[in-house]
């Protein structure tokens, strides 16, 4: 069974940001997860990092999204 985007996004976050996002309504979590997917798709720097370490690229994108949207 595939993991949904929100769960993947939460897994990529650091513990502090993960706790904060988990406290948000599901709709907001989904919006952040969608922004995370967009960040992964559109940032060419992450493509290079993804080739070296997919987990590191996902974590970097999650951190960027959290900073942009959570302040």
């Amino acid at each position: 069974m595939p993991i949904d985007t929100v769960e993947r996004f939460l897994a990529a976050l650091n513990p502090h940001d993960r706790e904060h996002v988990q406290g948000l309504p599901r709709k907001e979590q989904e919006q952040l997860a969608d922004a995370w997917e967009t960040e992964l798709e559109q940032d060419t720097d992450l493509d290079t990092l993804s080739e070296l370490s997919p987990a590191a690229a996902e974590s970097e994108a999650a951190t960027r999204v959290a900073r942009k949207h959570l302040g």
Side-chain angles (χ1 to χ4, degrees), residues 5 12 14-15 17 19 24 29 32-33 35 38-40 43 49 51-52 56 61 66-67 71:
T5 305
N14 66 58
D17 289 335
E19 184 178 310
L24 297 173
Q29 290 179 21
L32 290 171
T38 299
E39 184 81 17
L40 283 170
D43 191 311
L49 180 58
E51 290 177 18
L52 299 172
R67 274 192 233 138

Side-chain angles (χ1 to χ4, degrees), residues 2-71:
I3 298 175
D4 74 272
T5 305
V6 172
E7 292 301 317
R8 287 182 39 239
F9 172 61
L10 289 171
L13 285 167
N14 66 58
H16 174 70
D17 289 335
R18 183 179 311 120
E19 184 178 310
H20 186 84
V21 171
Q22 286 174 323
L24 297 173
R26 178 67 182 193
K27 186 71 174 168
E28 287 183 51
Q29 290 179 21
E30 290 170 356
Q31 291 170 343
L32 290 171
D34 288 343
W36 172 68
E37 291 257 314
T38 299
E39 184 81 17
L40 283 170
E41 291 171 4
Q42 293 181 352
D43 191 311
T44 56
D45 291 336
L46 290 174
D47 286 342
T48 303
L49 180 58
S50 181
E51 290 177 18
L52 299 172
S53 174
E58 288 185 353
S59 180
E60 175 62 25
T63 298
R64 290 178 187 180
V65 167
R67 274 192 233 138
K68 284 180 197 173
H69 297 278
L70 302 177

